[in-house]
Amino acid sequence: MAAAWGRRGGPALLRGVLGAAAGRACSSGAPVRAPSAVAQELQSSEGGRFLLEHAVPFSAFLMDSFGRQHNYLRISLTEKCNLRCQYCMPEEGVQLSPKSELLTAQEIIALARLFVKEGVEKIRLTGGEPLIRPDVVDIVGQLYKLEGLKTIAVTTNGINLTRLLPRLKEAGLNAINISLDTLVPAKFEFIVRRKGFHKVMEGIHKATELGYRPVKVNCVVMRGFNEDELLGFVDFTKDLPLDVRFIEYMPFDGNKWNFKKMVSYKEMLDTIKQRWPELEKLPCETSSTAKSYKVPHFQGQISFITSMSEHFCGSCNRLRITADGNLKVCLFGNSEVSLRDHLRSGASEEELVQIIGAAVGRKKKQHAEPALMSFPLCQDTLQYPPNSKQWGHTFSHWLTLRTSLPKQMGKAFMKNKLTGQPFLPGSHPEQQWHIMTGILQTQLRGCCVFQKDPSSTFDTKCLEASSVGQVSVDYQSKEASPGSEFCTRDLGSCTNIPHASHSLTHTDEEGRATMVDVGGKPDSRRSAVAGAVVCLGQKAFGMVRQNQVKKGDVLAVAQIAGIQGAKLTSQLIPLCHNIPLNHVEVSLSLDEARYAVVIRSSCQTWGRTGVEMEALTAASLAALTVYDMCKAVTHEIVIKEVKLLSKTGGQRGDFSRV
């Protein structure tokens, strides 16, 4: 009867549910745990007793001190990759281990067999890029023969997938994750620094044609790169059986945390629910790393991997073997155990199991968190923003901790390059406002302006953030008046602040920077056109024209950078309003007479303020991108003629440069 369940079913299916049965031993001789609560309940029924008697117990060597059963193994087949994703590795690549130090196919299968014997039910092949390994199909075929292994999966960038997938499926591959961070071909090239977008899309469609359900698409969401494509990715699941998995960018590089590019799960979910309020949450397994949702009537679904904002360490069931044979029990951990060395030195199966069990037993309860999220004050502030009544206490608390925070948080603090003042980066503008409004003037002017009377109160209405986290810096005392005397906190000296010039719109009556209030202005159609010229010189110009620059298609990448720049203007220029742009266009043409790239950008909106800054930012970012991609050829590049060419709409009328 048990045999009728199939090669990958039967007893192996019960490991994760039943736990270990009393009085049994693993095939390796490893001791086992006492019966779980579920197993005890099954003792009461005849069918339950049968299941318990025929269930293979879970090895104690793959269970850590917190009771987590590790039945999922990720094996890296290679360190090499045929892409250079900006969030993954430097453009020049990484130093590779000698081939002799990497696991052979025979060693991979030997270790996999040992782990499966101890209770591993799922193996995922990763890299680098696993599909560039010549013997990958043979490895999958050998894994398929392992009794008890239920799932063989691969995570790939998809470049070689269309060519290899039919053979991989025949060999036994039954799950696929494909990495794709953008649906825009030119942006794809910008992010991965290589061509290949259409090959990836072909791979996704090939997987669906061959019956993979679902085809998982991994999308790392990064602020300033692709967070504007969330809705497009959700729509991608409408007619295809996909599971688009939005992964929180894990800003861990060189032991330094940087939250500037991270977009949290809740922020992504809010954005998607604005478009699809009927979004449904789906049930998930206890050990799942994903929070899954589905738009009704869509073929596919979406998921969120909340590795940063809501870690899933408590249910972690994963172990990793690197390409050079090191066992890692935690992705964030530094400790590794070389299984390769023990294997090559002739260690017995029992000795290897003991080594693996010792490593698993040392696994910590959870990975180390970045300083920002682990510091209680900052964590509370991020989750529970102060209202106007609480602000005074929060602000004074900040001032008290201002000198101690940098010491306690170390490198989580950065310095303002202009003022030298400590600055704490947030994961997005709204979070930065929650912590930093109290010293915003320090960032803008190098000192905070206070009225001498310490008993006076602040007008907190000026501290309210706009919908995208922009902050009015009209940070004035209720008693303040033009020309009144103020003190700088850092210097302890008093300064008479002069009246502002009437020709400047971004200063108040006391000369301090402030955003213009556009609430009373009427909505109207507004547009702006800006331009820039990048003089490259003959050699670089020729390489751009022939598309021979090593970094990729200069004109295509610069075009995307310009469009992105226009959309991010309010985050780059402090006093600009966040404007919903109706249209952005960036064009680049070659001027052979000047050996130059001529850039034109245009922006349109329907609103209460103009888009001149958006057009200028687009032209500037496109020009800087051209410079960046060509600077290895020559440093004689000159950016010039960055200027507004025309604008329409607004109280001041139209403008056109002759």
Side-chain angles (χ1 to χ4, degrees), residues 608-622:
R608 299 177 179 180
T609 187
V611 289
E612 299 98 304
M613 291 306 301
E614 282 69 20
L616 285 165
T617 302
S620 300
L621 264 292

Side-chain angles (χ1 to χ4, degrees), residues 233-281:
F233 271 103
V234 177
D235 199 53
F236 196 26
T237 69
K238 183 176 182 179
D239 300 316
L240 291 172
L242 307 178
D243 180 3
V244 174
R245 294 148 58 91
F246 297 116
I247 302 172
E248 289 181 338
Y249 175 64
M250 302 169 70
F252 189 66
D253 181 28
N255 295 321
K256 296 179 182 178
W257 294 94
N258 180 2
F259 287 85
K260 288 183 177 180
K261 293 181 181 178
M262 195 194 99
V263 182
S264 71
Y265 145 65
K266 290 183 178 179
E267 183 180 351
M268 289 188 273
L269 185 61
D270 288 344
T271 299
I272 294 169
K273 280 189 172 181
Q274 289 178 20
R275 172 64 178 83
W276 288 284
E278 70 274 23
L279 193 69
E280 298 176 351
K281 194 172 191 315

Side-chain angles (χ1 to χ4, degrees), residues 28-31 58-64 118 353-354 356-358 360-361:
S28 65
F58 196 89
S59 169
F61 289 112
L62 295 186
M63 184 181 295
D64 65 19
E118 295 301 319
V353 169
Q354 293 288 344
I356 294 168
V360 173

